[in-house]
């Protein structure tokens, strides 16, 4: 593909991406063509020497791609774009001018890990951010996921719920819904062990349900006993785990000791 | 084991200080002319001789013995000492001598006048040149010598490159123990020069070669080099992949194992795998040399150890904080422990912000931030032990939580995570605390069997680790043969002398 054609496609993509509302279909097809172009130019996963402007353009295209995948609700594709961007963010960080989209994308990636409940990955990624810890707290894009994680770990679910509106960028809202699903399940599992029974109304507020039918559907899914006349939910107590002596294990261990002792004596 | 000089950030500082002190001391020594038993030059020379013996007898033990003294010796060696040693070991001018000398600064005129006198003496014996291992050992000393002052950092990188190339070209198995040390020196050169990341491809390539050759020593050293490089650049992902793709050679020395466990502990801690991090760090502490010989490493490991222990919900032993080596270094951590122990969020926050700079430097900041939830959990646990029933509002006040609603969620989560036994009565808005679990059950047996397993393994390992000198049994056989011979003679004598002895004896009786 000729370079000028690539440039034309790139400006097309920018226009389509910045348009309100964003033309998702068109962006997708343009991105596909551009990626082929990048591969032909050896810029998708750059190695060696390249012109600085080319690298910036390649990074821009991938960044738009990452945002586009979120808008198109395609998380695996976001994942791919993000790993391709890693090269630009880490290996070329000293050469390239910083991108204003870098931290929003890093923040989005953190939220993605959070919604997929990959907490260990979340922390590894956080640890490898090229910022000192106090700057993470300053950066609005990063502060958001970091706070969310902390609240989730603490159990301050209401704070997570309230933080929905404070998303620093449009794209963050996409993850909010799936995050809500995650915390609802978390809360439900807490309630199962922490309560014997709960009034329907209180259960609804605890789980952030506004309508009763939503709650009933949720209760059914988790297999809770709903008493409609008394308007309470009773949680099936997990029966005390019966203490059984692990015979097999003990026998095996004792035989092993005997063998070892025989070797010593 | 004085050869673990650990290289955590604060230790690097400590190193420099030590070196400075050493230099000062040396100057003083030169003025006062004290006579330390063997001079460094003599020691290096005897070490080269030992290496030769090791190479000749194919017994790596001698080489190891030499390398054990490396750290102590390198503090006392300087340009002049090295020059003297080279002059004496290589009496004839040759390519090896020239290349070695070219790395040392030209000797001053004072040196020459001293050299002139002893010069005629060594000519009497045309000693053969030392083996290549000896040369590499000398180069190693020179690299370490260059690390002493910032001006020679660049030069040390060049020298270590040349030395590594040379070593790889020679490709001798007897070189392996020295090679492991050399890689360390190369890393140190790069690090001091501030370009640690650039050395990574080189380490990776060398690691592959070493593992193909089953060169355990070098492999262990290189894995640690790589891990260190990854961890210091916060590339925990890559470090974790390296760990999962390689097997750390079991025959590696304790110092290498200590380092390996330390890095492993750090990686696991970042990945929230605290129990494993705890075991690794504990291993690192146990395998590390005594606190006095390598205080830097001891402190660095303990910093992480304390934090990980806290993250596991345990309170570290108070004795740690009174240890003479650790007391000062762990002061900030002690305050954190106090805050966690009392379960006071406000105290925790103030301590955190007060010592933020230190935690940042120790790279423990992000781990400590995670402690916030533990502070809350400890608080709840204390409350659950003290009260059989407590209102959510009171929990909220006591733990400085933002709202009662939060308190309810937090308590619920604590119950689910098994931090406390109890339940919430929503209608009355309180928490009822249940009885604690008894201390008997299958888990006790598990712990017991784990300990027994450990003891048995220790016994087996020590049996395996016993060393017997090569061919020593022959001597013993010969001795036994001799003894038997003597016995036979004795028996014969007795037989022969029986008759006349009998008389004598009989007479006596």
């Amino acid at each position: 593909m000729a370079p000028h054609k690539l440039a034309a496609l790139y400006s097309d993509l920018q226009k389509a991406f910045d348009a309100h509302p964003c033309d998702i279909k068109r962006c997708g097809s343009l991105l596909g063509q551009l990626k082929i172009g990048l591969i032909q130019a050896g810029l998708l996963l750059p190695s060696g020497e390249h012109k600085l402007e080319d690298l910036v353009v390649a990074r821009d295209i991938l960044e738009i791609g990452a945002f586009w995948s979120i808008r198109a609700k395609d998380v695996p594709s976001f994942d791919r774009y993000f790993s391709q961007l890693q090269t630009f963010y880490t290996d070329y960080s000293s050469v390239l001018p910083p991108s204003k989209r870098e931290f929003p994308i890093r923040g989005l990636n953190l939220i993605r890990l959070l919604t997929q409940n990959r907490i260990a990955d979340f922390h590894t990624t956080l640890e490898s951010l090229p910022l000192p810890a106090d700057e993470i707290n300053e950066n609005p894009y990063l502060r958001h996921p970091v706070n969310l994680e902390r609240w989730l770990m603490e159990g301050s679910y209401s704070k997570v719920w309230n933080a929905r509106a404070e998303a620093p960028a449009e794209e963050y809202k996409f993850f909010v819904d799936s995050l809500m699903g995650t915390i609802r399940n978390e809360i439900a599992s807490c309630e199962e062990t922490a309560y014997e029974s709960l009034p329907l109304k209180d259960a609804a507020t605890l789980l952030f349900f506004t309508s009763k039918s939503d709650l009933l559907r949720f209760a059914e899914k988790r297999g809770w006993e709903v008493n409609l006349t008394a308007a309470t939910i009773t949680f099936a107590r997990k029966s005390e785990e019966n203490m059984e002596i692990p015979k097999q294990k003990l026998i095996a261990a004792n035989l092993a000791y005997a063998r070892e002792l025989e070797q010593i004596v | 084991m004085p050869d673990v000089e650990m290289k955590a950030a604060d230790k690097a500082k400590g190193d420099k200080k030590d070196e400075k002190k050493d230099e000062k001391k040396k100057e003083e020594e030169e003025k006062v002319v004290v006579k330390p038993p063997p001079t460094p030059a003599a020691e290096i020379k005897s070490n080269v001789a030992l290496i030769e013996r090791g190479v000749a007898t194919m017994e790596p033990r001698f080489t190891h013995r030499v390398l054990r003294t490396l750290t102590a010796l390198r503090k006392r060696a300087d340009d002049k000492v090295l020059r003297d040693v080279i002059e004496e070991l290589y009496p004839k001018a040759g390519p090896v001598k020239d290349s070695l000398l070219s790395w040392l600064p030209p000797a001053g005129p004072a040196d020459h006048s001293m050299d002139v006198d002893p010069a005629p003496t060594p000519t009497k014996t045309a000693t053969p040149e030392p083996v290549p291992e000896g040369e590499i050992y000398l180069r190693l000393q020179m690299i370490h010598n260059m690390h002493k002052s910032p001006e020679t950092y660049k030069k040390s990188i060049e020298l270590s490159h040349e030395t590594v190339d040379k070593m790889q070209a020679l490709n001798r198995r007897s070189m392996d123990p020295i090679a492991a040390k050399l890689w360390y020196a190369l890393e140190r050169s790069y690090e001091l020069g501030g370009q640690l990341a650039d050395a990574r491809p080189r380490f990776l390539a060398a690691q592959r070669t070493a593992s193909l050759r089953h060169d355990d020593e070098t492999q262990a050293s290189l894995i640690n080099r790589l891990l260190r490089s990854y961890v210091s650049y916060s590339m925990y992902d890559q470090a974790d992949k390296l760990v999962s793709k390689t097997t750390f050679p079991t025959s590696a020395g304790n110092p290498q194992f200590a380092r390996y466990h330390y890095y492993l502990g750090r990686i696991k801690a970042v990945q929230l795998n605290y129990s494993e991090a705890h075991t690794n760090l504990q291993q690192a502490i146990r395998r590390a040399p005594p606190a006095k010989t390598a205080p830097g490493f001891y402190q660095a490991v303990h910093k992480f150890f304390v934090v990980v222990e806290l993250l596991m919900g345990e309170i570290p032993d108070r004795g740690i904080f009174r240890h003479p080596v650790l007391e000062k270094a762990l002061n900030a951590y002690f305050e954190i422990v106090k805050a966690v122990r009392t379960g006071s969020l406000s105290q925790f926050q103030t301590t955190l912000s007060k010592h933020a700079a230190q935690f940042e430097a120790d790279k423990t900041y992000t781990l400590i931030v995670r402690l916030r939830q533990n502070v809350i959990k400890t608080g709840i646990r204390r409350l659950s032990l003290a009260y059989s029933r407590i209102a959510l509002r009171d929990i909220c006040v006591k733990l400085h939580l933002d709202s009662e609603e939060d308190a309810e969620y937090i308590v619920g989560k604590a119950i689910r995570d098994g931090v406390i036994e109890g339940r919430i009565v929503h209608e009355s808005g309180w928490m009822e605390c249940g009885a604690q679990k008894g201390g008997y059950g299958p888990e006790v047996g598990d712990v017991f069997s784990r300990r027994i397993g450990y003891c048995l393994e220790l016994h087996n390992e020590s049996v395996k680790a016993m060393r017997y000198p090569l061919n020593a049994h022959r001597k013993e056989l010969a001795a036994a043969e001799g003894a038997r011979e003597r016995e036979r003679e004795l028996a014969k004598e007795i037989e022969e002398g029986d008759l006349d002895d009998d008389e004598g004896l009989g007479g006596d009786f």
Side-chain angles (χ1 to χ4, degrees), chain B residues 57-325:
Chain B
T57 54
M58 309 263 289
E59 184 67 85
R61 219 147 31 96
F62 295 114
T63 317
H64 281 295
R65 193 190 299 168
V66 170
L67 293 174
R68 269 206 293 278
T69 60
L70 183 65
T71 327
L73 203 53
R74 73 164 195 232
K75 286 184 184 152
R76 289 164 42 203
D78 56 19
D79 288 340
K80 192 182 157 302
V81 168
L82 288 168
R83 174 175 292 278
D84 288 351
V85 171
I86 295 168
E87 290 286 354
E88 284 182 44
L89 284 172
Y90 297 92
K92 277 181 289 181
V96 177
K97 181 181 176 184
D98 288 347
S99 75
L100 280 175
L101 283 181
S102 70
W103 290 103
L104 290 169
D111 276 335
H112 269 301
S113 64
M114 281 172 76
D115 277 346
V116 172
D117 291 334
T121 32
T123 40
K124 61 180 191 281
T125 47
T127 42
E129 288 202 347
V131 287
E133 282 80 359
E135 185 203 339
I136 302 289
Y137 174 70
L138 283 176
R139 279 165 174 267
L140 190 59
Q141 284 285 7
M142 282 157 72
I143 297 171
H144 278 305
N145 193 36
M146 286 180 184
H147 288 164
K148 283 179 189 166
S149 75
E151 295 103 65
T152 44
Y153 287 166
K154 267 226 142 63
K155 235 171 121 188
S156 77
I157 296 181
E158 286 168 37
L159 173 59
S160 31
H161 261 296
E162 194 192 284
T163 312
V164 166
D165 287 339
K166 200 162 179 139
M167 180 187 76
Q168 285 174 332
L170 283 166
N171 191 15
R172 285 161 69 111
R173 289 288 67 74
S174 47
M175 190 90 82
D176 289 348
I178 305 178
K181 291 283 170 199
L182 191 59
W183 284 113
Y184 167 69
L186 177 69
E187 183 206 36
R188 193 89 184 109
S189 301
Y190 268 107
E191 195 173 8
L192 291 172
Q195 33 188 321
L196 189 54
D198 300 344
R200 221 175 282 142
R202 190 130 207 187
F203 289 144
L204 281 167
Q207 205 271 328
R208 271 198 301 276
T209 326
S211 74
L212 283 177
R213 285 184 187 151
H214 295 287
D215 176 1
D216 288 350
E217 204 80 34
T218 312
Q219 209 186 331
S221 171
L222 280 167
I223 290 178
N224 280 334
R225 301 287 83 80
L226 282 166
L227 282 179
R228 173 167 173 70
S229 147
Y230 284 138
V231 168
S232 63
Y233 284 89
S234 295
M235 294 159 78
Y236 292 98
D237 243 357
Q238 285 87 333
D240 185 45
K241 280 194 187 111
L242 177 73
V243 170
S244 62
K245 295 280 185 297
T246 51
T247 42
F248 196 75
T250 41
S251 61
N254 258 345
Q256 297 295 354
F257 250 117
R259 286 193 182 99
Y260 183 66
H261 280 298
Y262 168 65
Y263 294 128
L264 221 56
R266 282 185 65 174
I267 296 168
K268 296 279 191 259
V270 167
Q271 293 174 336
L272 291 107
N273 194 345
Y274 301 129
S275 48
E276 228 165 278
H278 187 256
T279 358
N280 279 322
L281 290 171
Q282 205 164 34
Q283 280 291 326
I285 291 174
R286 283 187 190 150
R287 286 179 186 260
K292 287 259 159 44
T293 27
F297 181 68
Y298 202 67
Q299 288 165 356
V301 183
H302 267 97
K303 281 173 188 169
F304 279 92
F305 186 68
V306 166
V307 176
V308 166
E309 207 156 68
L310 284 176
L311 281 167
M312 287 173 74
E314 285 166 25
I315 302 294
D317 199 6
R318 199 178 172 121
I320 294 178
F321 300 103
R322 281 202 296 264
H323 194 287
V325 174

Side-chain angles (χ1 to χ4, degrees), chain B residues 310 335-337 339-340 342-354 359 367-373 375:
Chain B
L310 284 176
E335 284 181 35
I336 286 284
V337 172
V340 174
T342 46
S344 150
L345 262 186
S346 51
Q347 194 188 338
F348 175 74
Q349 283 300 353
T350 46
T351 322
L352 183 62
S353 46
K354 195 170 129 205
F359 296 145
L367 289 178
I368 291 175
V369 170
R370 290 187 210 166
L371 274 173
R372 214 184 115 87
Q373 34 165 323
V375 179

Side-chain angles (χ1 to χ4, degrees), chain A residues 247-259, chain B residues 445 449 452 456:
Chain A
K247 297 184 208 94
Q248 285 289 340
K249 218 167 101 191
L250 282 179
I251 293 170
N254 278 322
L255 283 176
Y257 300 154
R259 201 170 50 241
Chain B
S449 78
I452 295 177
L456 289 173

Side-chain angles (χ1 to χ4, degrees), chain A residues 127 154 159 189 194-195 206, chain B residues 366 372 402 408-409 416 424:
Chain A
E127 205 73 43
E154 260 172 38
K159 282 191 188 141
S189 75
Y195 300 90
L206 281 177
Chain B
T366 42
R372 214 184 115 87
D402 291 343
E408 187 163 357
Y409 285 122
R416 191 204 48 179
I424 305 171

